[in-house]
Amino acid sequence: MIARVRAGEAEAYAELVRAFTGVALRAATALGAGPDAEDVVQQSFFKAYRALGRFRDGSSFKPWLLSIVANETRNTVRSAARQRSAVGREAALTEPDPLIPPSADPAAAAVARERSAALLAALDHLSEDHRRVVTYRYLLELDEAETAEALGWPRGTVKSRLNRALRKLERLLGEERGLSEGGEGR
């Protein structure tokens, strides 16, 4: 596909854009772009197109694009000089609540929404590197090698940061659970 784009076939790049817009939007949103996520993604695709000459043949496009999205998101957040809230991320990451089929348990659906909100709020308390590694590995469903490539880190760094991030998330979610059960954050 990249060879077709390099050969000047505009439709080939349009196919890449269609294929990766969703994951790029989720990445930009999860990494803090908030309402600027669409602009970040558009700018990222533009920069990716201009940088195709530096794309290594045989590499995967998705991690390469997501590293551009992450850098563009970071630049946007810094230039705006403001932090995005977990609430804004949650609204952009999740689709509108689906209609609950009559056979579904409304209580189970409510618990799932609460867990999702708690996870997104906990992600907001992680360092940028930890939030990025968790987002890429689990929310964007990249495998370990793709995560390493997208972040520009060695696989060992991905493993160690992911391990630390998951332990912190577990602590944060445990504290949240303790507070919601009437405890004082055990």
Side-chain angles (χ1 to χ4, degrees):
M1 179 81 62
I2 299 298
R4 289 175 43 211
V5 175
R6 286 178 175 160
E9 191 178 322
E11 182 56 31
Y13 197 67
E15 288 177 34
L16 283 174
V17 170
R18 283 190 294 274
F20 293 103
T21 294
V23 71
L25 277 169
R26 287 193 309 275
T29 301
L31 295 171
D36 297 325
E38 287 183 7
D39 292 336
V40 164
V41 169
Q42 184 176 13
Q43 188 67 21
S44 297
F45 275 112
F46 176 73
K47 287 183 176 183
Y49 183 79
R50 292 186 66 207
L52 276 176
R54 294 190 304 270
F55 180 76
R56 288 189 333 258
D57 289 332
S59 295
S60 177
F61 183 76
K62 184 177 176 181
W64 184 72
L65 174 66
L66 291 177
S67 67
I68 294 170
V69 170
N71 289 334
E72 190 62 27
T73 300
R74 191 172 25 259
N75 293 341
T76 298
V77 169
R78 283 184 186 150
S79 69
R82 60 192 162 163
Q83 288 292 338
R84 307 291 183 203
S85 71
V87 174
R89 284 189 211 144
E90 177 183 5
L93 275 176
T94 59
E95 297 176 9
D97 290 337
L99 295 174
I100 300 173
S103 62
D105 180 2
V111 167
R113 281 192 303 275
E114 286 175 13
R115 284 183 178 159
S116 178
L119 175 61
L120 291 169
L123 279 171
D124 209 30
H125 293 288
L126 297 179
S127 70
E128 182 180 343
D129 283 348
H130 287 165
R131 184 172 40 254
R132 287 172 59 204
V133 73
V134 169
T135 297
Y136 280 46
R137 184 68 179 92
Y138 295 109
L139 298 180
L140 301 176
E141 299 177 359
L142 296 181
D143 64 29
E144 191 177 278
E146 291 173 322
T147 300
E149 186 178 338
L151 294 171
W153 299 343
R155 285 179 77 169
T157 301
V158 168
K159 286 180 181 183
S160 65
R161 288 188 182 162
L162 188 58
N163 183 290
R164 283 187 224 117
L166 292 175
R167 282 187 300 182
K168 181 156 187 179
L169 277 176
E170 186 176 30
R171 272 194 317 276
L172 290 166
L173 291 170
E175 290 171 7
E176 169 88 18
R177 196 170 30 256
L179 291 173
S180 68
E181 293 173 355
E184 293 296 322
R186 300 165 195 161

